[in-house]
Amino acid sequence: MTAKNTQTTTLHINGYTHVLSIEPWISLLDILREHLQLTGTKKGCDHGQCGACTVLVNGKRILSCLALGVMKDGAQITTIEGISNGTELHPVQKAFIEHDAFQCGYCTPGQICSAIGMLNENKAETREEVQELMSGNLCRCGANKGIIDAVMAVKEGGYNE
Ligand code: FES
Ligand code: FES
């Protein structure tokens, strides 16, 4: 801790290393959006209720509004800006386009990160299980059917990260 009450924290985000001096009470979400201008990750409720802020940390999906940045010192973080492989969209991104899985798009970065994390977990077998495991990501536009269609299409296509 420095005199200014900040803590040096190293975050590896989308393949880039950031060494930051941050206050220990700042959420990972606010670091991404306010310190690093990675505004693809959205703030909805800021209370762990909507899933808009979902990112991948060491391959696992987390709610970045509920995570303190300093707690992720040394972690590998992937946000929506780092999901594609250069100009080649990730299979989940392609499926979202093919299945009309968004309207306003506000929930979409969180939905895509959550879907990738969920597929990595390899726990869901059926459509109902996929629905259940994606239920923490809300869509106020009602694009849920397209979202689940997209995730199922990737899953049934044998996605294996
Ligand atoms: S902004 Fe994090 S869950 Fe809503
Ligand atoms: S597409 Fe608008 S909130 Fe989901």
Side-chain angles (χ1 to χ4, degrees), residues 101-108 111 138-143 147:
F102 50 86
Q103 289 181 35
C104 78
Y106 197 84
C107 72
T108 311
Q111 299 278 4
L138 306 182
C139 176
R140 62 189 164 185
C141 293
I147 292 167

Side-chain angles (χ1 to χ4, degrees), residues 2 12 15 20 25 28 30 32 35 62 73 77 79 94 98 102 109-110 113 117 120-121 150 155 157:
T2 70
H12 306 285
L20 304 164
W25 54 85
L28 177 60
D30 284 345
L32 294 172
H35 290 242
I62 69 154
D73 189 27
I77 298 166
T79 68
K94 287 184 193 166
E98 284 160 13
F102 50 86
C113 288
N120 288 346
E121 289 158 17
K155 183 175 164 47

Side-chain angles (χ1 to χ4, degrees), residues 36-94:
L36 300 173
Q37 284 71 54
L38 290 167
T39 53
T41 304
K42 301 305 184 208
K43 183 182 281 191
C45 63
D46 209 19
H47 283 90
Q49 308 274 315
C50 73
C53 64
T54 307
V55 298
L56 298 167
V57 175
N58 299 328
K60 294 188 178 6
R61 54 184 175 160
I62 69 154
L63 299 173
S64 61
C65 71
L66 294 186
L68 294 174
V70 292
M71 300 294 289
K72 301 303 170 194
D73 189 27
Q76 297 286 342
I77 298 166
T78 306
T79 68
I80 192 67
E81 290 90 345
I83 292 292
S84 67
N85 183 7
T87 55
E88 174 75 12
L89 291 180
H90 188 282
V92 173
Q93 290 176 306
K94 287 184 193 166

Side-chain angles (χ1 to χ4, degrees), residues 131-153:
Q131 243 164 343
E132 174 65 25
L133 291 175
M134 289 294 295
S135 64
N137 289 82
L138 306 182
C139 176
R140 62 189 164 185
C141 293
N144 303 73
K145 179 181 178 302
I147 292 167
I148 302 304
D149 285 350
V151 177
M152 288 305 293

